[in-house]
Amino acid sequence: MSMKRLTTGAALAAGALAATALAFAPSAAAVTPTTATVTASCGIFGGGAATLTATQSGTSSTLTLTSSAITAPLALSANSITSTLTMANSTGSARVFSGTVNPAMAAGDPVTVGPLPGTVASGDSLDFHGGSLKMVIFGVTVTCTSSAAQSPGPFVMS
């Protein structure tokens, strides 16, 4: 084997390893914080502490709400809740996250909706306080609201 072939082969192998390392490198969170706590009042579903989890990739974002204080009033099958989560945006228009994504829940189980997709812009500052979560279940609309800002603060999109 010639030295030129060996050098070319080594360079190709090094390039392939570098590309593989980039493909498996963890991506930095674009939104901060990635989780926040809110206190929500949801009518027949109850009320109390809930956790919002956010992800962002460019202008696409998802939000998930989970709560052991807010419970399903009856058994619900997977993807049976039509949810619309509206987040107040202190830097512009409110942002809406919607979809029909939820796990199956027995009556009394903790409620989880999402991840609900939505569009955001760099610099958006999103807070559940001033927004709402509307869930449509078997034609009945349940609305959740909050009387206080989320903690530790709004989701800031980069």
Side-chain angles (χ1 to χ4, degrees):
M1 184 179 249
S2 73
M3 183 57 122
K4 183 176 181 184
R5 276 181 114 185
L6 187 57
T7 305
T8 302
L12 287 173
L17 285 173
T20 301
L22 285 174
F24 291 108
S27 59
V31 57
T32 55
T34 55
T35 61
T37 303
V38 298
T39 301
S41 176
C42 301
I44 63 170
F45 272 41
T51 300
L52 284 169
T53 305
T55 65
Q56 181 189 0
S57 178
T59 60
S60 296
S61 184
T62 64
L63 288 176
T64 302
L65 181 135
T66 58
S67 175
S68 58
I70 303 166
T71 58
L74 52 119
L76 300 168
S77 60
N79 305 321
S80 63
I81 302 173
T82 301
S83 301
T84 304
L85 176 59
T86 302
M87 298 289 283
N89 181 7
S90 66
T91 63
S93 300
R95 298 296 181 191
V96 178
F97 300 80
S98 61
T100 307
V101 183
N102 63 274
M105 293 173 256
D109 276 359
V111 166
T112 296
V113 294
L116 304 172
T119 302
V120 296
S122 180
D124 280 356
S125 182
L126 308 180
D127 197 319
F128 184 71
H129 180 58
S132 66
L133 170 63
K134 291 185 182 182
M135 298 177 283
V136 179
I137 305 135
F138 302 121
V140 176
T141 301
V142 175
T143 301
C144 300
T145 58
S146 179
S147 58
Q150 65 192 39
S151 177
F155 294 119
V156 178
M157 303 297 168
S158 62

